[in-house]
Short mmCIF file of all heavy atoms in Angstrom, two decimals:
data_model
loop_
_atom_site.label_atom_id
_atom_site.label_comp_id
_atom_site.label_asym_id
_atom_site.label_seq_id
_atom_site.Cartn_x
_atom_site.Cartn_y
_atom_site.Cartn_z
N VAL G 5 2.74 11.22 0.88
CA VAL G 5 3.64 12.20 1.49
C VAL G 5 2.92 13.54 1.48
O VAL G 5 2.61 14.08 0.43
CB VAL G 5 4.97 12.30 0.71
CG1 VAL G 5 5.87 13.36 1.33
CG2 VAL G 5 5.67 10.95 0.65
N ASP G 31 11.34 3.63 34.15
CA ASP G 31 12.80 3.61 34.24
C ASP G 31 13.47 2.85 33.10
O ASP G 31 14.69 2.70 33.09
CB ASP G 31 13.25 3.08 35.60
CG ASP G 31 12.88 1.63 35.83
OD1 ASP G 31 12.19 1.03 34.99
OD2 ASP G 31 13.30 1.08 36.87
N THR G 58 15.36 6.90 24.10
CA THR G 58 16.57 6.12 24.31
C THR G 58 16.41 5.28 25.57
O THR G 58 16.12 5.79 26.65
CB THR G 58 17.80 7.04 24.44
OG1 THR G 58 17.89 7.83 23.25
CG2 THR G 58 19.07 6.24 24.61
N TYR G 102 10.58 6.15 18.07
CA TYR G 102 11.70 5.26 17.79
C TYR G 102 12.32 4.85 19.12
O TYR G 102 12.81 5.72 19.85
CB TYR G 102 12.75 5.96 16.93
CG TYR G 102 12.25 6.39 15.58
CD1 TYR G 102 11.78 7.68 15.36
CD2 TYR G 102 12.24 5.50 14.50
CE1 TYR G 102 11.33 8.09 14.13
CE2 TYR G 102 11.78 5.91 13.26
CZ TYR G 102 11.33 7.19 13.06
OH TYR G 102 10.88 7.60 11.83
N PRO G 106 20.97 2.36 23.93
CA PRO G 106 21.91 3.38 24.38
C PRO G 106 23.06 3.56 23.37
O PRO G 106 23.43 2.61 22.68
CB PRO G 106 22.44 2.84 25.71
CG PRO G 106 21.76 1.55 25.96
CD PRO G 106 20.88 1.22 24.81
N LEU G 138 10.59 16.94 -3.28
CA LEU G 138 10.52 15.48 -3.21
C LEU G 138 9.11 15.00 -2.90
O LEU G 138 8.71 13.92 -3.37
CB LEU G 138 11.51 14.95 -2.18
CG LEU G 138 12.99 15.18 -2.52
CD1 LEU G 138 13.87 14.73 -1.37
CD2 LEU G 138 13.36 14.49 -3.83
#
Side-chain angles (χ1 to χ4, degrees):
V5 178
D31 65 355
T58 302
Y102 298 96
L138 295 174

